[in-house]
Amino acid sequence: MTLKDECTYLGIDLSTQQLKGVIVDENLQILSETHVQFDSMLPEFRTHSGVVRADKKTVTAPVLMWVKALDLLLDKLRVCGADFSKVAALSGTAQQHGTVYWQIGAENILHSLDPSNFLHSQLASCFSISHSPIWMDSSTTKQCQMLEEAVGGAEKLAEITGSKAYERFSGAQIAKIAETKPNAYANTERISLVSSFACSLFLGSYAPIDWSDASGMNLLDIQKKEWSQACLQVCGSNLESKLGEPVPSYTDLGPINEYYVERFGFNPHCRIISFTGDNPASLAGMRLGANDIAVSLGTSDTLFLWLSEPKTLPEGHIFVNPVDSDAYMALLCFKNGSLTRERIRNLYCSGSWDEFNRLLESIPRGNFGNFGLYYDSQEIIPFVQGDFRFDKAGSSVSKFTSPEFEVRALIEGQFLARRAHAEDLGFSVGPGTRIIATGGASNNKTILQVLSDCFNAPVFILEAANSAVLGAAYQAKHGRLRNNSNENVTFSSITSCVPVPVLACEPYKNSAKIYDPLVKRYRKIIKEIQTRTDSRS
Ligand code: 5FX
């Protein structure tokens, strides 16, 4: 059977708490979707929110749980009515930074999977490390220092790899394994990222790591798009051969393995397009353009930007762009997002969002000069923790005089910070700028209005949630056509059929007048807080 009309595309997302799958048609409309929740559907692995915590800093996930989840997901998709014989290409995405260690000989097993058996029973002895370190791990401070020293400091590392050393990044994680489990490291023939590991399962051989996800390792020279020898050397012996050669994110890697043809009825012509990290895939799923800024309002708040040139950032990350390898993307992650919003809601609004919104709307923009910054947990950007409140005169106060000031101070403080750090990346509002809001809090129009005012730009929302898994499905089509067509295929031409984001709110006319000075105020206050914290430590 050949794949002509009516072909479909499959996107897979191996995220922290679940494995998702979505099938889209030629017009990128969703046909079927389902997921496997790790904690509840695979309780034998005893994870909490998909992870195992050995101590406060050491966080892993069982590799076989992910494999078993794939067995389940494909069965569940079939039960939903998915016709795998129509899938022309598949691609995927996964939580970033996590690493998977394939034992010597594992690729032979991948090559000869038996369709009458589950994947997880055949791959049971394939991993030299049974629990993969994941992005929530922060146990590698020592290895981070080593990595920065080896290349001449944090700034130099950021210049080469797009980020200074971060504990969760794969280079430091690999270095820790090489140091603390030398036998397991020596018995490892391939190290995958979670994304390229999932891709390998479909390919039946080791899938290369893609440039975008590789940018989250502190190992890739993001300008040359090759491994940095200086970084590789400090992280483990023979590391280059264990990692394989990285490739562009939309590379067509070959046909699906026979196992899936026999067991699930996939078409033997179905192509496997390189998998990537969840943040790059979200950029693809949102169809972010050069004039846009994506603001994801979730457990943590994340900002993405399209960049045409790489930059060296004091904080935050630069990745190779997943849909155009000549471009880049910036990612800023703020830990104190929805959880902090929920704390203030619980404290001042008896847990009610309606009440929260009512209070937020009851005070004019600018909050009568009251200004607050709230960091429940250690913030990443900037590196501060605690609540900070200032009155109109600039004096530090322990509480505001009424709840509505707290609510408005929280939301204005959060969004002014997002804007200031986006501006540090070179972002500025111009004609055609769109803020694309996603994540749980993007359902709250009152909060979005403050976002729009603080940035002085219109805010748009996406119809479909789950931008990462959709991004993977779009990338499947992009990769297939880009690699197999004589025409000039671009990601934006492929995805032009996707509904455009919907306008949610526009800034009030005098927003710039109110908030431009407040961005300056934020910068001044944060500098003071940091100086105070530094002098105490
Ligand atoms: C980004 O750098 C992160 O660590 C997270 O967003 C993970 O990718 C979540 F999966």
Side-chain angles (χ1 to χ4, degrees):
M1 191 209 214
T2 51
L3 279 161
K4 281 195 188 134
D5 310 321
E6 273 196 86
C7 59
T8 63
Y9 297 93
L10 170 60
I12 299 284
D13 179 10
L14 206 179
S15 63
T16 313
Q17 305 199 36
Q18 57 183 3
L19 178 67
K20 289 188 214 89
V22 59
I23 296 185
V24 298
D25 63 16
E26 206 40 89
N27 296 318
L28 305 178
Q29 295 299 304
I30 297 174
L31 294 175
S32 3
E33 58 185 321
T34 191
H35 71 274
V36 172
Q37 194 78 24
F38 301 138
D39 292 2
S40 56
M41 297 181 183
L42 293 165
E44 63 275 32
F45 291 97
R46 295 161 184 266
T47 56
H48 292 279
S49 307
V51 309
V52 176
R53 288 174 194 273
D55 55 59
K56 259 192 163 173
K57 295 193 162 178
T58 313
V59 188
T60 60
V63 193
L64 276 179
M65 174 181 79
W66 293 335
V67 176
K68 204 166 178 181
L70 183 59
D71 285 319
L72 272 178
L73 182 84
L74 294 175
D75 271 335
K76 280 191 80 184
L77 273 170
R78 219 166 24 176
V79 171
C80 293
D83 178 355
F84 290 130
S85 71
K86 290 187 178 158
V87 179
L90 70 84
S91 183
T93 177
Q95 50 177 296
Q96 291 201 259
H97 318 300
T99 38
V100 174
Y101 299 78
W102 298 89
Q103 182 135 304
I104 293 173
E107 196 171 35
N108 293 336
I109 300 178
L110 270 181
H111 282 321
S112 49
L113 292 168
D114 170 7
S116 61
N117 261 320
F118 286 115
L119 279 177
H120 74 270
S121 46
Q122 300 183 67
L123 298 180
S125 61
C126 278
F127 304 101
S128 44
I129 300 285
S130 66
H131 283 63
S132 284
I134 63 149
W135 67 280
M136 295 164 96
D137 187 280
S138 57
S139 64
T140 60
T141 306
K142 182 178 137 196
Q143 288 78 12
C144 286
Q145 280 162 359
M146 207 172 73
L147 197 47
E148 287 182 348
E149 272 164 29
V151 299
E155 197 176 323
K156 187 70 195 162
L157 186 66
E159 196 184 306
I160 302 170
T161 69
S163 305
K164 66 176 200 179
Y166 283 89
E167 277 81 356
R168 67 189 191 288
F169 274 44
S170 325
Q173 294 292 343
I174 295 170
K176 184 183 159 195
I177 299 272
E179 190 185 323
T180 58
K181 298 187 168 118
N183 292 338
Y185 183 81
N187 284 333
T188 300
E189 69 182 8
R190 179 57 88 108
I191 301 174
S192 294
L193 290 180
V194 185
S195 58
S196 60
F197 147 78
C199 187
S200 307
L201 297 180
F202 284 101
L203 201 58
S205 57
Y206 295 144
I209 295 174
D210 76 290
W211 289 344
S212 289
D213 215 6
S215 314
M217 299 177 81
N218 278 141
L219 294 177
L220 186 81
D221 183 321
I222 59 163
Q223 307 215 36
K224 294 189 184 140
K225 286 145 186 151
E226 56 191 44
W227 300 121
S228 151
Q229 294 302 326
C231 298
L232 288 182
Q233 261 169 28
V234 274
C235 292
S237 58
N238 237 344
L239 187 49
E240 188 160 15
S241 74
K242 290 185 202 280
L243 292 174
E245 208 177 302
V247 297
S249 303
Y250 33 77
T251 306
D252 182 337
L253 300 173
I256 195 165
N257 183 262
E258 193 53 31
Y259 175 85
Y260 302 87
V261 177
E262 295 289 320
R263 191 173 171 91
F264 295 101
F266 274 89
N267 194 298
H269 299 288
C270 171
R271 308 299 295 179
I272 307 297
I273 308 303
S274 197
F275 285 29
T276 191
D278 53 2
N279 293 299
S282 285
L283 175 131
M286 290 178 194
R287 302 183 58 245
L288 202 79
N291 273 335
D292 304 328
I293 179 164
V295 180
S296 165
L297 301 170
T299 310
S300 54
D301 287 352
T302 315
L303 254 58
F304 309 119
L305 279 180
W306 179 291
L307 295 178
S308 31
E309 298 289 333
K311 276 181 185 281
T312 305
L313 304 179
E315 295 296 343
H317 317 296
I318 304 291
F319 299 151
V320 176
N321 193 302
V323 300
D324 174 357
S325 302
D326 293 329
Y328 293 83
M329 64 176 280
L331 175 93
L332 297 177
C333 192
F334 302 87
K335 239 194 224 165
N336 294 281
S338 286
L339 295 182
T340 309
R341 290 187 280 273
E342 281 162 26
R343 172 175 63 101
I344 298 297
R345 178 203 61 183
N346 294 344
L347 213 58
Y348 297 104
C349 317
S350 319
S352 155
W353 282 121
D354 287 342
E355 178 62 3
F356 185 95
N357 292 345
R358 195 187 65 74
L359 295 184
L360 188 55
E361 280 174 338
S362 70
I363 298 287
R365 282 156 295 129
N367 206 12
F368 290 122
N370 295 308
F371 193 94
L373 296 168
Y374 304 73
Y375 304 103
D376 294 9
S377 48
Q378 180 69 61
E379 187 49 89
I380 303 173
I381 312 170
F383 195 75
V384 290
Q385 187 166 14
D387 289 352
F388 305 91
R389 296 173 180 84
F390 302 88
D391 64 14
K392 193 178 175 189
S395 308
S396 174
V397 292
S398 61
K399 264 200 163 49
F400 290 125
T401 46
S402 72
E404 41 272 56
F405 295 138
E406 298 283 352
V407 169
R408 187 158 268 281
L410 165 75
I411 301 297
E412 288 186 342
Q414 286 189 328
F415 293 153
L416 288 166
R418 310 298 178 256
R419 175 176 153 186
H421 296 290
E423 286 177 356
D424 289 346
L425 291 178
F427 168 80
S428 64
V429 173
T433 299
R434 296 185 307 176
I435 299 176
I436 302 184
T438 61
S442 67
N443 291 326
N444 186 324
K445 277 256 174 102
T446 314
I447 289 182
L448 292 188
Q449 183 62 55
V450 184
L451 177 65
S452 179
D453 291 333
C454 285
F455 274 77
N456 192 29
V459 172
F460 293 77
I461 46 176
L462 292 165
E463 218 174 78
N466 297 336
S467 46
V469 74
L470 277 176
Y474 301 169
Q475 193 77 310
K477 182 173 179 186
H478 174 218
R480 173 174 180 248
L481 298 188
R482 186 166 185 136
N483 294 297
N484 301 296
S485 156
N486 298 329
E487 286 161 43
N488 183 19
V489 171
T490 60
F491 184 78
S492 65
S493 66
I494 291 295
T495 56
S496 58
C497 50
V498 173
V500 291
V502 183
L503 180 68
C505 27
E506 289 189 277
Y508 280 94
K509 288 255 167 337
N510 59 351
S511 292
K513 207 169 148 216
I514 295 170
Y515 288 110
D516 288 358
L518 285 178
V519 176
K520 291 198 183 111
R521 189 173 181 199
Y522 164 78
R523 289 186 188 286
K524 190 168 164 271
I525 286 176
I526 210 67
K527 215 171 174 179
E528 279 164 18
I529 294 172
Q530 283 188 302
T531 318
R532 244 189 285 155
T533 325
D534 289 349
S535 62
R536 253 185 254 136
S537 57

